[in-house]
Amino acid sequence: MLPYYGIAAVIVIAGVILFAAGAGRGRDVEVKTEPAHGTPSPPRHEAASTFRPGPVTGSAPWALSAVPECFRQIKHDRGTAAFAARRLPPGARRLAPGTVMAVADCRLLVGAATLTLERGDERLVVPPRTAAYAAGDTLSVLRTTGNAGDLRVYRRVSASGP
């Protein structure tokens, strides 16, 4: 076993000597810097001006929360449908289907079981089993799914409407 250790030691020492002899070479490398212009970003495959976002449309239980310029959410309760219904503000009256409420630059269309929020080209629908209730300058949205209830109470930014 000792001869193998001797051979390994000779190989390692020879490698160190060869590396040390070549380490002094190649020091004539010149480092050069260039000023950069702009900020780093991923490569763009198309001009930025060609992208035109379309209108936002779709089903959104939180639709009124997405437009704080029109409605400001002040309360949110979840639980059973009966629990959520009991949490309606005092004096809240249900808005009849076909009611249109204009608040700031938003229009809220009350359907038989849905609400539709329109703002410019945007159109968001609060999905079925939804009812809207008005009390003073508040608007309550009660949404039920099976036995679960979700109540969101909003303050209208401008008190126009029913």
Side-chain angles (χ1 to χ4, degrees), residues 2-134:
L2 191 56
Y4 294 111
Y5 286 127
I7 293 171
V10 170
I11 292 173
V12 169
I13 291 171
V16 169
I17 292 172
L18 290 173
F19 178 76
R25 297 184 193 157
R27 292 195 186 237
D28 57 348
V29 175
E30 183 179 334
V31 177
K32 188 174 182 181
T33 60
E34 292 288 330
H37 301 287
T39 58
S41 65
R44 294 188 178 119
H45 300 291
E46 58 186 48
S49 63
T50 62
F51 177 70
R52 301 257 190 267
V56 177
T57 60
S59 176
W62 41 261
L64 278 68
S65 300
V67 286
E69 301 83 6
C70 302
F71 299 97
R72 297 239 169 96
Q73 185 173 320
I74 57 174
K75 182 177 166 185
H76 184 205
D77 289 312
R78 283 188 195 152
T80 64
F83 170 79
R86 284 193 308 268
R87 305 289 292 171
L88 282 166
R93 61 180 174 81
R94 185 167 182 175
L95 299 179
T99 302
V100 177
M101 180 182 289
V103 179
D105 63 342
C106 298
R107 281 178 19 122
L108 184 66
L109 311 169
V110 180
T114 62
L115 297 177
T116 303
L117 177 70
E118 293 179 343
R119 184 176 185 205
D121 290 343
E122 298 174 354
R123 185 178 170 93
L124 297 173
V125 177
V126 181
R129 295 218 18 216
T130 301
Y133 298 82

